[in-house]
Structures are given as C-alpha cells and as structure tokens.
Amino acid sequence: MALSEAEREAIREEAAHYRDKSAASIEALKIVQQRHGWVSDEHIKDIAEVLGMSPDQLDGVATFYNLIYRRPVGKKVIHYCNSVSCWILGAEELREQMEKRLRIKLGETTQDGEYTLLPIVCLGACHRAPVMMVGDETYFEIDPARLDAIFPVKT
Ligand code: FES
C-alpha cells in the first residue's frame, strides 16, 4: 500500500527539522510503522522518495534499526534478549519454555496474531537478567513461573 498524503506530509514536517532530509529516516519509518504495524517495500520506496534517498539506502537504515519491522508482526512484539548475561542466567531454557507455550519459534507469529517473538541484542539491563520486552513493557529477572503468568494458557 502506498503512503497516504497525510503520511507524506507528516514525514515532510519531520524532515523540515534537518538540513539533510535523510536525517529524519528513523522518525519517518516510525511514522509509517505506527500506522501500518510494519514497513513494506512499497513504503520504503515512497519514504525514500520523500527524503531524497535511494530505497536501498533507506532499507539499510530500516534493517539496522531493530525496532523497525520489515515484515508483518503480531499485535505485540516480544523482544527476547539474546545476549551473554541473559544466557548465563537461563535465557535459553526460558525461551524454549516460551516457544512451547506460544507454539512458535523465534521469528514467528502466534496463530491468533497476538505475538511475534524476536531476538534482540542486550537490552542494557544485564544486572536484572534475563530480560525481555513485550510491546512497550519490559520484564526483568524472568523465571519459569513469571513466564507462565505473563503468557497464561488460553482456554
Ligand atoms: S544480556 Fe540481556 S540485558 Fe544485557
């Protein structure tokens, strides 16, 4: 789906804050993601045009920034920390528990479209590992019982 005129205008307004319009790349991607839930190839092409960039340049930014989704995701994205402090404190076993509970693997979305499970590098809270984000909420010191409470089995 192409960008609406309102979306183009919102991106132009953001870009007006910078001498180099490409400096508004991440904000522009966020504007589109907020409305559509993810950023398609067509969106990349349209945003790049507004910002005076090539689609490849903008795609490079979108791919590097791991809170921009280039494929459809569930209503909530689970960003599961996949770095060393969390591993040491049992993140691998907890991830397996969560995968069983949600019946998905890393990178997948639940059948009801509720959750997408994605790995993320250190969330910067190693002293409270294991850590994950579910939507906007961050969970620290996760253990098996907490995981079950966060994702109750649906009846
Ligand atoms: S390694 Fe998981 S929060 Fe730092």
Side-chain angles (χ1 to χ4, degrees), residues 20-53:
D20 176 356
K21 289 191 284 184
S22 68
S25 298
I26 290 177
E27 282 311 312
L29 291 161
K30 284 184 183 171
I31 286 168
V32 173
Q33 182 165 285
Q34 253 171 15
R35 293 174 195 199
H36 301 273
W38 65 293
V39 180
S40 69
D41 289 346
E42 194 172 6
H43 290 146
I44 289 283
K45 192 167 95 9
D46 289 354
I47 299 167
E49 183 190 299
V50 176
L51 297 179
M53 305 168 71

PDB file of all heavy atoms in Angstrom, residues 20-53:
ATOM      1  N   ASP A  20      19.771  18.012   6.177  1.00  0.00           N
ATOM      2  CA  ASP A  20      19.795  16.826   5.316  1.00  0.00           C
ATOM      3  C   ASP A  20      18.541  15.998   5.649  1.00  0.00           C
ATOM      4  O   ASP A  20      18.432  15.466   6.755  1.00  0.00           O
ATOM      5  CB  ASP A  20      21.069  16.028   5.602  1.00  0.00           C
ATOM      6  CG  ASP A  20      21.128  14.735   4.813  1.00  0.00           C
ATOM      7  OD1 ASP A  20      20.153  14.400   4.102  1.00  0.00           O
ATOM      8  OD2 ASP A  20      22.155  14.039   4.923  1.00  0.00           O
ATOM      9  N   LYS A  21      17.628  15.904   4.693  1.00  0.00           N
ATOM     10  CA  LYS A  21      16.348  15.231   4.960  1.00  0.00           C
ATOM     11  C   LYS A  21      16.523  13.779   5.408  1.00  0.00           C
ATOM     12  O   LYS A  21      15.701  13.248   6.151  1.00  0.00           O
ATOM     13  CB  LYS A  21      15.464  15.260   3.694  1.00  0.00           C
ATOM     14  CG  LYS A  21      14.925  16.645   3.372  1.00  0.00           C
ATOM     15  CD  LYS A  21      13.862  16.597   2.304  1.00  0.00           C
ATOM     16  CE  LYS A  21      14.448  16.402   0.928  1.00  0.00           C
ATOM     17  NZ  LYS A  21      13.474  16.444  -0.157  1.00  0.00           N
ATOM     18  N   SER A  22      17.606  13.145   4.958  1.00  0.00           N
ATOM     19  CA  SER A  22      17.790  11.732   5.313  1.00  0.00           C
ATOM     20  C   SER A  22      17.985  11.541   6.820  1.00  0.00           C
ATOM     21  O   SER A  22      17.814  10.430   7.332  1.00  0.00           O
ATOM     22  CB  SER A  22      18.978  11.134   4.554  1.00  0.00           C
ATOM     23  OG  SER A  22      20.189  11.694   5.007  1.00  0.00           O
ATOM     24  N   ALA A  23      18.310  12.629   7.537  1.00  0.00           N
ATOM     25  CA  ALA A  23      18.472  12.536   8.995  1.00  0.00           C
ATOM     26  C   ALA A  23      17.142  12.182   9.677  1.00  0.00           C
ATOM     27  O   ALA A  23      17.131  11.750  10.834  1.00  0.00           O
ATOM     28  CB  ALA A  23      19.026  13.845   9.553  1.00  0.00           C
ATOM     29  N   ALA A  24      16.045  12.359   8.952  1.00  0.00           N
ATOM     30  CA  ALA A  24      14.726  12.033   9.516  1.00  0.00           C
ATOM     31  C   ALA A  24      14.309  10.596   9.203  1.00  0.00           C
ATOM     32  O   ALA A  24      13.155  10.223   9.428  1.00  0.00           O
ATOM     33  CB  ALA A  24      13.687  13.013   8.978  1.00  0.00           C
ATOM     34  N   SER A  25      15.236   9.780   8.708  1.00  0.00           N
ATOM     35  CA  SER A  25      14.889   8.418   8.276  1.00  0.00           C
ATOM     36  C   SER A  25      14.152   7.611   9.342  1.00  0.00           C
ATOM     37  O   SER A  25      13.095   7.040   9.080  1.00  0.00           O
ATOM     38  CB  SER A  25      16.140   7.629   7.895  1.00  0.00           C
ATOM     39  OG  SER A  25      16.799   8.233   6.828  1.00  0.00           O
ATOM     40  N   ILE A  26      14.734   7.555  10.524  1.00  0.00           N
ATOM     41  CA  ILE A  26      14.136   6.685  11.552  1.00  0.00           C
ATOM     42  C   ILE A  26      12.768   7.212  11.968  1.00  0.00           C
ATOM     43  O   ILE A  26      11.805   6.441  12.098  1.00  0.00           O
ATOM     44  CB  ILE A  26      15.094   6.520  12.748  1.00  0.00           C
ATOM     45  CG1 ILE A  26      16.283   5.658  12.288  1.00  0.00           C
ATOM     46  CG2 ILE A  26      14.392   5.869  13.934  1.00  0.00           C
ATOM     47  CD1 ILE A  26      17.354   5.451  13.313  1.00  0.00           C
ATOM     48  N   GLU A  27      12.674   8.533  12.141  1.00  0.00           N
ATOM     49  CA  GLU A  27      11.362   9.094  12.506  1.00  0.00           C
ATOM     50  C   GLU A  27      10.335   8.805  11.412  1.00  0.00           C
ATOM     51  O   GLU A  27       9.175   8.486  11.706  1.00  0.00           O
ATOM     52  CB  GLU A  27      11.475  10.602  12.748  1.00  0.00           C
ATOM     53  CG  GLU A  27      12.071  10.961  14.092  1.00  0.00           C
ATOM     54  CD  GLU A  27      11.419  10.217  15.254  1.00  0.00           C
ATOM     55  OE1 GLU A  27      10.182  10.184  15.311  1.00  0.00           O
ATOM     56  OE2 GLU A  27      12.159   9.645  16.081  1.00  0.00           O
ATOM     57  N   ALA A  28      10.754   8.918  10.168  1.00  0.00           N
ATOM     58  CA  ALA A  28       9.832   8.657   9.054  1.00  0.00           C
ATOM     59  C   ALA A  28       9.382   7.191   9.061  1.00  0.00           C
ATOM     60  O   ALA A  28       8.195   6.894   8.881  1.00  0.00           O
ATOM     61  CB  ALA A  28      10.516   8.995   7.736  1.00  0.00           C
ATOM     62  N   LEU A  29      10.318   6.289   9.293  1.00  0.00           N
ATOM     63  CA  LEU A  29       9.967   4.869   9.362  1.00  0.00           C
ATOM     64  C   LEU A  29       8.998   4.604  10.515  1.00  0.00           C
ATOM     65  O   LEU A  29       8.035   3.842  10.388  1.00  0.00           O
ATOM     66  CB  LEU A  29      11.233   4.021   9.537  1.00  0.00           C
ATOM     67  CG  LEU A  29      12.172   3.977   8.324  1.00  0.00           C
ATOM     68  CD1 LEU A  29      13.567   3.517   8.727  1.00  0.00           C
ATOM     69  CD2 LEU A  29      11.613   3.074   7.228  1.00  0.00           C
ATOM     70  N   LYS A  30       9.229   5.287  11.645  1.00  0.00           N
ATOM     71  CA  LYS A  30       8.339   5.109  12.805  1.00  0.00           C
ATOM     72  C   LYS A  30       6.932   5.628  12.505  1.00  0.00           C
ATOM     73  O   LYS A  30       5.947   5.033  12.933  1.00  0.00           O
ATOM     74  CB  LYS A  30       8.901   5.844  14.029  1.00  0.00           C
ATOM     75  CG  LYS A  30      10.057   5.142  14.696  1.00  0.00           C
ATOM     76  CD  LYS A  30      10.442   5.922  15.923  1.00  0.00           C
ATOM     77  CE  LYS A  30      11.634   5.346  16.627  1.00  0.00           C
ATOM     78  NZ  LYS A  30      12.102   6.258  17.688  1.00  0.00           N
ATOM     79  N   ILE A  31       6.852   6.750  11.797  1.00  0.00           N
ATOM     80  CA  ILE A  31       5.540   7.310  11.445  1.00  0.00           C
ATOM     81  C   ILE A  31       4.731   6.267  10.667  1.00  0.00           C
ATOM     82  O   ILE A  31       3.568   6.006  10.946  1.00  0.00           O
ATOM     83  CB  ILE A  31       5.715   8.603  10.601  1.00  0.00           C
ATOM     84  CG1 ILE A  31       6.179   9.748  11.492  1.00  0.00           C
ATOM     85  CG2 ILE A  31       4.420   8.975   9.862  1.00  0.00           C
ATOM     86  CD1 ILE A  31       6.651  10.995  10.726  1.00  0.00           C
ATOM     87  N   VAL A  32       5.394   5.632   9.707  1.00  0.00           N
ATOM     88  CA  VAL A  32       4.695   4.656   8.862  1.00  0.00           C
ATOM     89  C   VAL A  32       4.381   3.385   9.666  1.00  0.00           C
ATOM     90  O   VAL A  32       3.275   2.837   9.590  1.00  0.00           O
ATOM     91  CB  VAL A  32       5.538   4.352   7.606  1.00  0.00           C
ATOM     92  CG1 VAL A  32       4.932   3.217   6.803  1.00  0.00           C
ATOM     93  CG2 VAL A  32       5.650   5.612   6.753  1.00  0.00           C
ATOM     94  N   GLN A  33       5.331   2.947  10.466  1.00  0.00           N
ATOM     95  CA  GLN A  33       5.099   1.723  11.242  1.00  0.00           C
ATOM     96  C   GLN A  33       3.967   1.901  12.249  1.00  0.00           C
ATOM     97  O   GLN A  33       3.185   0.981  12.476  1.00  0.00           O
ATOM     98  CB  GLN A  33       6.381   1.299  11.949  1.00  0.00           C
ATOM     99  CG  GLN A  33       6.214  -0.003  12.728  1.00  0.00           C
ATOM    100  CD  GLN A  33       7.528  -0.603  13.103  1.00  0.00           C
ATOM    101  OE1 GLN A  33       8.215  -1.173  12.264  1.00  0.00           O
ATOM    102  NE2 GLN A  33       7.919  -0.483  14.364  1.00  0.00           N
ATOM    103  N   GLN A  34       3.885   3.085  12.843  1.00  0.00           N
ATOM    104  CA  GLN A  34       2.811   3.346  13.813  1.00  0.00           C
ATOM    105  C   GLN A  34       1.438   3.152  13.163  1.00  0.00           C
ATOM    106  O   GLN A  34       0.513   2.682  13.792  1.00  0.00           O
ATOM    107  CB  GLN A  34       2.896   4.784  14.298  1.00  0.00           C
ATOM    108  CG  GLN A  34       3.404   4.895  15.719  1.00  0.00           C
ATOM    109  CD  GLN A  34       3.681   6.323  16.091  1.00  0.00           C
ATOM    110  OE1 GLN A  34       3.249   7.255  15.400  1.00  0.00           O
ATOM    111  NE2 GLN A  34       4.399   6.507  17.171  1.00  0.00           N
ATOM    112  N   ARG A  35       1.329   3.514  11.914  1.00  0.00           N
ATOM    113  CA  ARG A  35       0.023   3.417  11.236  1.00  0.00           C
ATOM    114  C   ARG A  35      -0.257   2.055  10.631  1.00  0.00           C
ATOM    115  O   ARG A  35      -1.400   1.652  10.515  1.00  0.00           O
ATOM    116  CB  ARG A  35      -0.074   4.480  10.150  1.00  0.00           C
ATOM    117  CG  ARG A  35      -0.102   5.837  10.810  1.00  0.00           C
ATOM    118  CD  ARG A  35      -0.045   6.968   9.855  1.00  0.00           C
ATOM    119  NE  ARG A  35       0.277   8.164  10.639  1.00  0.00           N
ATOM    120  CZ  ARG A  35       0.077   9.385  10.244  1.00  0.00           C
ATOM    121  NH1 ARG A  35      -0.449   9.609   9.078  1.00  0.00           N
ATOM    122  NH2 ARG A  35       0.388  10.395  11.022  1.00  0.00           N
ATOM    123  N   HIS A  36       0.794   1.344  10.209  1.00  0.00           N
ATOM    124  CA  HIS A  36       0.573   0.085   9.490  1.00  0.00           C
ATOM    125  C   HIS A  36       1.073  -1.143  10.251  1.00  0.00           C
ATOM    126  O   HIS A  36       0.809  -2.259   9.830  1.00  0.00           O
ATOM    127  CB  HIS A  36       1.279   0.138   8.125  1.00  0.00           C
ATOM    128  CG  HIS A  36       0.792   1.256   7.265  1.00  0.00           C
ATOM    129  ND1 HIS A  36      -0.300   1.134   6.429  1.00  0.00           N
ATOM    130  CD2 HIS A  36       1.221   2.538   7.136  1.00  0.00           C
ATOM    131  CE1 HIS A  36      -0.512   2.295   5.820  1.00  0.00           C
ATOM    132  NE2 HIS A  36       0.394   3.157   6.227  1.00  0.00           N
ATOM    133  N   GLY A  37       1.812  -0.936  11.326  1.00  0.00           N
ATOM    134  CA  GLY A  37       2.320  -2.067  12.106  1.00  0.00           C
ATOM    135  C   GLY A  37       3.660  -2.585  11.601  1.00  0.00           C
ATOM    136  O   GLY A  37       4.362  -3.280  12.311  1.00  0.00           O
ATOM    137  N   TRP A  38       4.013  -2.264  10.362  1.00  0.00           N
ATOM    138  CA  TRP A  38       5.305  -2.674   9.784  1.00  0.00           C
ATOM    139  C   TRP A  38       5.570  -1.799   8.572  1.00  0.00           C
ATOM    140  O   TRP A  38       4.719  -0.966   8.210  1.00  0.00           O
ATOM    141  CB  TRP A  38       5.284  -4.161   9.418  1.00  0.00           C
ATOM    142  CG  TRP A  38       4.336  -4.549   8.328  1.00  0.00           C
ATOM    143  CD1 TRP A  38       2.967  -4.513   8.398  1.00  0.00           C
ATOM    144  CD2 TRP A  38       4.653  -5.018   7.015  1.00  0.00           C
ATOM    145  NE1 TRP A  38       2.423  -4.942   7.209  1.00  0.00           N
ATOM    146  CE2 TRP A  38       3.436  -5.265   6.342  1.00  0.00           C
ATOM    147  CE3 TRP A  38       5.848  -5.271   6.342  1.00  0.00           C
ATOM    148  CZ2 TRP A  38       3.384  -5.737   5.031  1.00  0.00           C
ATOM    149  CZ3 TRP A  38       5.796  -5.756   5.045  1.00  0.00           C
ATOM    150  CH2 TRP A  38       4.580  -5.984   4.408  1.00  0.00           C
ATOM    151  N   VAL A  39       6.736  -1.983   7.938  1.00  0.00           N
ATOM    152  CA  VAL A  39       7.127  -1.127   6.816  1.00  0.00           C
ATOM    153  C   VAL A  39       7.382  -2.004   5.587  1.00  0.00           C
ATOM    154  O   VAL A  39       8.329  -2.795   5.567  1.00  0.00           O
ATOM    155  CB  VAL A  39       8.391  -0.308   7.172  1.00  0.00           C
ATOM    156  CG1 VAL A  39       8.783   0.587   6.002  1.00  0.00           C
ATOM    157  CG2 VAL A  39       8.160   0.526   8.430  1.00  0.00           C
ATOM    158  N   SER A  40       6.520  -1.881   4.596  1.00  0.00           N
ATOM    159  CA  SER A  40       6.619  -2.718   3.388  1.00  0.00           C
ATOM    160  C   SER A  40       7.659  -2.155   2.405  1.00  0.00           C
ATOM    161  O   SER A  40       8.124  -1.017   2.554  1.00  0.00           O
ATOM    162  CB  SER A  40       5.256  -2.768   2.696  1.00  0.00           C
ATOM    163  OG  SER A  40       4.969  -1.484   2.148  1.00  0.00           O
ATOM    164  N   ASP A  41       7.963  -2.927   1.351  1.00  0.00           N
ATOM    165  CA  ASP A  41       8.879  -2.455   0.305  1.00  0.00           C
ATOM    166  C   ASP A  41       8.326  -1.196  -0.373  1.00  0.00           C
ATOM    167  O   ASP A  41       9.079  -0.277  -0.695  1.00  0.00           O
ATOM    168  CB  ASP A  41       9.092  -3.539  -0.765  1.00  0.00           C
ATOM    169  CG  ASP A  41       9.928  -4.692  -0.255  1.00  0.00           C
ATOM    170  OD1 ASP A  41      10.557  -4.540   0.812  1.00  0.00           O
ATOM    171  OD2 ASP A  41       9.947  -5.755  -0.908  1.00  0.00           O
ATOM    172  N   GLU A  42       7.013  -1.188  -0.565  1.00  0.00           N
ATOM    173  CA  GLU A  42       6.405  -0.019  -1.212  1.00  0.00           C
ATOM    174  C   GLU A  42       6.542   1.222  -0.321  1.00  0.00           C
ATOM    175  O   GLU A  42       6.822   2.325  -0.803  1.00  0.00           O
ATOM    176  CB  GLU A  42       4.931  -0.311  -1.521  1.00  0.00           C
ATOM    177  CG  GLU A  42       4.341   0.699  -2.474  1.00  0.00           C
ATOM    178  CD  GLU A  42       2.945   0.320  -2.930  1.00  0.00           C
ATOM    179  OE1 GLU A  42       2.378  -0.667  -2.432  1.00  0.00           O
ATOM    180  OE2 GLU A  42       2.415   1.057  -3.789  1.00  0.00           O
ATOM    181  N   HIS A  43       6.369   1.020   0.978  1.00  0.00           N
ATOM    182  CA  HIS A  43       6.576   2.143   1.908  1.00  0.00           C
ATOM    183  C   HIS A  43       8.014   2.651   1.829  1.00  0.00           C
ATOM    184  O   HIS A  43       8.264   3.856   1.830  1.00  0.00           O
ATOM    185  CB  HIS A  43       6.275   1.721   3.352  1.00  0.00           C
ATOM    186  CG  HIS A  43       4.824   1.482   3.621  1.00  0.00           C
ATOM    187  ND1 HIS A  43       4.383   0.517   4.495  1.00  0.00           N
ATOM    188  CD2 HIS A  43       3.727   2.092   3.128  1.00  0.00           C
ATOM    189  CE1 HIS A  43       3.059   0.535   4.529  1.00  0.00           C
ATOM    190  NE2 HIS A  43       2.636   1.485   3.714  1.00  0.00           N
ATOM    191  N   ILE A  44       8.957   1.713   1.795  1.00  0.00           N
ATOM    192  CA  ILE A  44      10.374   2.104   1.735  1.00  0.00           C
ATOM    193  C   ILE A  44      10.603   2.985   0.509  1.00  0.00           C
ATOM    194  O   ILE A  44      11.247   4.039   0.579  1.00  0.00           O
ATOM    195  CB  ILE A  44      11.290   0.851   1.680  1.00  0.00           C
ATOM    196  CG1 ILE A  44      11.295   0.132   3.025  1.00  0.00           C
ATOM    197  CG2 ILE A  44      12.711   1.211   1.231  1.00  0.00           C
ATOM    198  CD1 ILE A  44      12.133   0.767   4.111  1.00  0.00           C
ATOM    199  N   LYS A  45      10.048   2.558  -0.627  1.00  0.00           N
ATOM    200  CA  LYS A  45      10.231   3.311  -1.876  1.00  0.00           C
ATOM    201  C   LYS A  45       9.639   4.726  -1.737  1.00  0.00           C
ATOM    202  O   LYS A  45      10.277   5.710  -2.091  1.00  0.00           O
ATOM    203  CB  LYS A  45       9.534   2.541  -3.007  1.00  0.00           C
ATOM    204  CG  LYS A  45       9.850   3.022  -4.388  1.00  0.00           C
ATOM    205  CD  LYS A  45       9.379   2.020  -5.415  1.00  0.00           C
ATOM    206  CE  LYS A  45       8.047   2.225  -6.036  1.00  0.00           C
ATOM    207  NZ  LYS A  45       7.161   3.242  -6.003  1.00  0.00           N
ATOM    208  N   ASP A  46       8.444   4.806  -1.173  1.00  0.00           N
ATOM    209  CA  ASP A  46       7.776   6.111  -1.039  1.00  0.00           C
ATOM    210  C   ASP A  46       8.482   7.021  -0.031  1.00  0.00           C
ATOM    211  O   ASP A  46       8.643   8.218  -0.258  1.00  0.00           O
ATOM    212  CB  ASP A  46       6.312   5.914  -0.607  1.00  0.00           C
ATOM    213  CG  ASP A  46       5.465   5.333  -1.721  1.00  0.00           C
ATOM    214  OD1 ASP A  46       5.971   5.192  -2.856  1.00  0.00           O
ATOM    215  OD2 ASP A  46       4.286   5.017  -1.454  1.00  0.00           O
ATOM    216  N   ILE A  47       8.874   6.451   1.101  1.00  0.00           N
ATOM    217  CA  ILE A  47       9.556   7.274   2.123  1.00  0.00           C
ATOM    218  C   ILE A  47      10.878   7.788   1.549  1.00  0.00           C
ATOM    219  O   ILE A  47      11.234   8.962   1.714  1.00  0.00           O
ATOM    220  CB  ILE A  47       9.838   6.466   3.418  1.00  0.00           C
ATOM    221  CG1 ILE A  47       8.548   5.973   4.058  1.00  0.00           C
ATOM    222  CG2 ILE A  47      10.623   7.321   4.421  1.00  0.00           C
ATOM    223  CD1 ILE A  47       8.764   4.922   5.149  1.00  0.00           C
ATOM    224  N   ALA A  48      11.604   6.900   0.877  1.00  0.00           N
ATOM    225  CA  ALA A  48      12.891   7.284   0.294  1.00  0.00           C
ATOM    226  C   ALA A  48      12.704   8.445  -0.684  1.00  0.00           C
ATOM    227  O   ALA A  48      13.503   9.397  -0.695  1.00  0.00           O
ATOM    228  CB  ALA A  48      13.526   6.076  -0.403  1.00  0.00           C
ATOM    229  N   GLU A  49      11.642   8.375  -1.457  1.00  0.00           N
ATOM    230  CA  GLU A  49      11.376   9.453  -2.424  1.00  0.00           C
ATOM    231  C   GLU A  49      11.167  10.787  -1.688  1.00  0.00           C
ATOM    232  O   GLU A  49      11.750  11.802  -2.061  1.00  0.00           O
ATOM    233  CB  GLU A  49      10.131   9.077  -3.223  1.00  0.00           C
ATOM    234  CG  GLU A  49       9.753  10.044  -4.306  1.00  0.00           C
ATOM    235  CD  GLU A  49       8.373   9.679  -4.843  1.00  0.00           C
ATOM    236  OE1 GLU A  49       8.204   8.566  -5.364  1.00  0.00           O
ATOM    237  OE2 GLU A  49       7.461  10.509  -4.696  1.00  0.00           O
ATOM    238  N   VAL A  50      10.379  10.763  -0.614  1.00  0.00           N
ATOM    239  CA  VAL A  50      10.122  11.998   0.141  1.00  0.00           C
ATOM    240  C   VAL A  50      11.424  12.540   0.748  1.00  0.00           C
ATOM    241  O   VAL A  50      11.647  13.748   0.809  1.00  0.00           O
ATOM    242  CB  VAL A  50       9.064  11.758   1.262  1.00  0.00           C
ATOM    243  CG1 VAL A  50       8.872  13.009   2.108  1.00  0.00           C
ATOM    244  CG2 VAL A  50       7.737  11.311   0.663  1.00  0.00           C
ATOM    245  N   LEU A  51      12.293  11.630   1.185  1.00  0.00           N
ATOM    246  CA  LEU A  51      13.526  12.059   1.862  1.00  0.00           C
ATOM    247  C   LEU A  51      14.704  12.257   0.903  1.00  0.00           C
ATOM    248  O   LEU A  51      15.811  12.585   1.355  1.00  0.00           O
ATOM    249  CB  LEU A  51      13.913  11.030   2.941  1.00  0.00           C
ATOM    250  CG  LEU A  51      12.919  10.857   4.089  1.00  0.00           C
ATOM    251  CD1 LEU A  51      13.418   9.807   5.069  1.00  0.00           C
ATOM    252  CD2 LEU A  51      12.685  12.192   4.817  1.00  0.00           C
ATOM    253  N   GLY A  52      14.473  12.040  -0.380  1.00  0.00           N
ATOM    254  CA  GLY A  52      15.552  12.237  -1.349  1.00  0.00           C
ATOM    255  C   GLY A  52      16.663  11.220  -1.214  1.00  0.00           C
ATOM    256  O   GLY A  52      17.845  11.526  -1.410  1.00  0.00           O
ATOM    257  N   MET A  53      16.292   9.983  -0.856  1.00  0.00           N
ATOM    258  CA  MET A  53      17.287   8.909  -0.714  1.00  0.00           C
ATOM    259  C   MET A  53      16.960   7.813  -1.725  1.00  0.00           C
ATOM    260  O   MET A  53      15.862   7.776  -2.284  1.00  0.00           O
ATOM    261  CB  MET A  53      17.202   8.263   0.689  1.00  0.00           C
ATOM    262  CG  MET A  53      17.335   9.220   1.829  1.00  0.00           C
ATOM    263  SD  MET A  53      16.866   8.439   3.398  1.00  0.00           S
ATOM    264  CE  MET A  53      18.226   7.291   3.676  1.00  0.00           C
TER     265      MET A  53
END
